[in-house]
Amino acid sequence: MLSAAAPSFPFGSRALLPPPPRRGAALRRARVSALGGGGEGEAGRILDPRATPFQILGLDATACYSAAQLKAAFRTRVKEFHPDVCKNPENADLIIRRVIEAYQMLSGNQEMMVERNNVDPFDEPECEARDIFVNELLCIGTGCPYSCVKRAPHVFSFSDDIGTARALSQGNGEDDLVQLAVGQCPRKCIYYVTPCQRTILEDVLSSVLMAPYDLAEAAVLDSLLTKAKFENNRYMKPKRGAKSSSDYVDWM
């Protein structure tokens, strides 16, 4: 019985077949693409200088959105790309800056952002930090022996829902009673912030307090507070230029 002739290969050995693609290399290419490499993926669209605020937040420009929907879109982007949460932090800082700018422009702070040339308030504070923000995740509330509500009731009060302290009025950074309350807080959960920083921090905090509790957003809040405290301590008032006069003076 004749057997089928074995196929012949050059050089007396089997032809070398191309190796299968490595899965790790494909995943690395996918990560680079997702982070904006080559202009692909969500990150690439966010980093596109032609992107509108609606595109950055993943919204339809032809639709009408409520404040709650804008907050939800902002929180989704922050959770996805924040450096402390994102597994691939390449370009994450720039992406978050673009997301913050887009949210501020769409949520009513457009005039302030245009005047400041779209500067991230956590990188470059727009003014001295005189507003008050309470991190309610750390606040003891009514059981605090050094209650800020007792120290400065004209600025702080207890919330009705969870019993933690929160600021009712702003711009009281130089108030002696407020400074006493901040200095005596046992949990160090009261911060001096700028108005732009406070707007973002309050939005992130409100989403963290919503059930179910989100550890990723809590990490984002802590990171923003640390950055705000550091940059606010470095802030210096713009120096006034020396007055000059064009009047001619005859010294002779």
Side-chain angles (χ1 to χ4, degrees), residues 20 29 68 102 115-116 174 180 189 191:
R29 286 193 296 269
E115 291 176 359
R116 301 195 63 230
E174 296 183 352
L180 179 64
C189 60
Y191 296 82

Side-chain angles (χ1 to χ4, degrees), residues 181-202:
V182 174
Q184 292 186 343
C185 176
R187 300 301 300 273
K188 305 300 180 184
C189 60
I190 308 176
Y191 296 82
Y192 294 111
V193 296
T194 68
C196 282
Q197 292 171 351
R198 179 175 55 81
T199 300
I200 298 173
L201 291 170
E202 288 177 348

Side-chain angles (χ1 to χ4, degrees), residues 88-250:
N88 304 295
E90 182 183 355
N91 293 332
D93 286 331
L94 181 57
I95 292 174
I96 288 299
R97 183 178 304 176
R98 296 270 292 168
V99 170
I100 291 175
E101 293 170 1
Y103 176 69
Q104 288 181 322
M105 294 185 70
L106 294 180
S107 61
N109 291 331
Q110 185 171 4
E111 292 182 2
M112 180 179 295
M113 291 303 297
V114 169
E115 291 176 359
R116 301 195 63 230
N117 196 23
N118 294 336
V119 176
D120 181 357
F122 292 95
D123 279 338
E124 298 183 22
E126 73 276 11
C127 62
E128 285 187 285
R130 296 183 178 179
D131 279 13
I132 301 296
F133 175 80
V134 180
N135 185 359
E136 299 181 39
L137 300 179
L138 302 178
C139 181
I140 301 175
T142 55
C144 180
Y146 301 96
S147 173
C148 58
V149 177
K150 295 180 181 178
R151 296 288 187 275
H154 59 294
V155 175
F156 301 96
S157 70
F158 293 118
S159 61
D160 297 330
D161 46 1
I162 58 178
T164 56
R166 58 184 54 169
L168 292 179
S169 62
Q170 299 298 336
N172 300 289
E174 296 183 352
D175 189 304
D176 292 339
L177 294 177
V178 173
Q179 294 179 2
L180 179 64
V182 174
Q184 292 186 343
C185 176
R187 300 301 300 273
K188 305 300 180 184
C189 60
I190 308 176
Y191 296 82
Y192 294 111
V193 296
T194 68
C196 282
Q197 292 171 351
R198 179 175 55 81
T199 300
I200 298 173
L201 291 170
E202 288 177 348
D203 289 340
V204 176
L205 177 63
S206 63
S207 66
V208 174
L209 295 176
M210 293 172 57
Y213 185 76
D214 195 327
L215 293 177
E217 290 193 350
V220 171
L221 178 65
D222 183 68
S223 175
L224 292 176
L225 285 171
T226 301
K227 192 173 184 180
K229 184 176 181 180
F230 177 77
E231 294 296 339
N232 291 340
N233 288 337
R234 297 175 58 197
Y235 176 81
M236 298 180 62
K237 291 183 179 180
K239 294 183 179 180
R240 294 183 177 180
K243 293 183 178 181
S244 60
S245 174
S246 58
D247 295 339
Y248 175 76
V249 177
D250 188 1

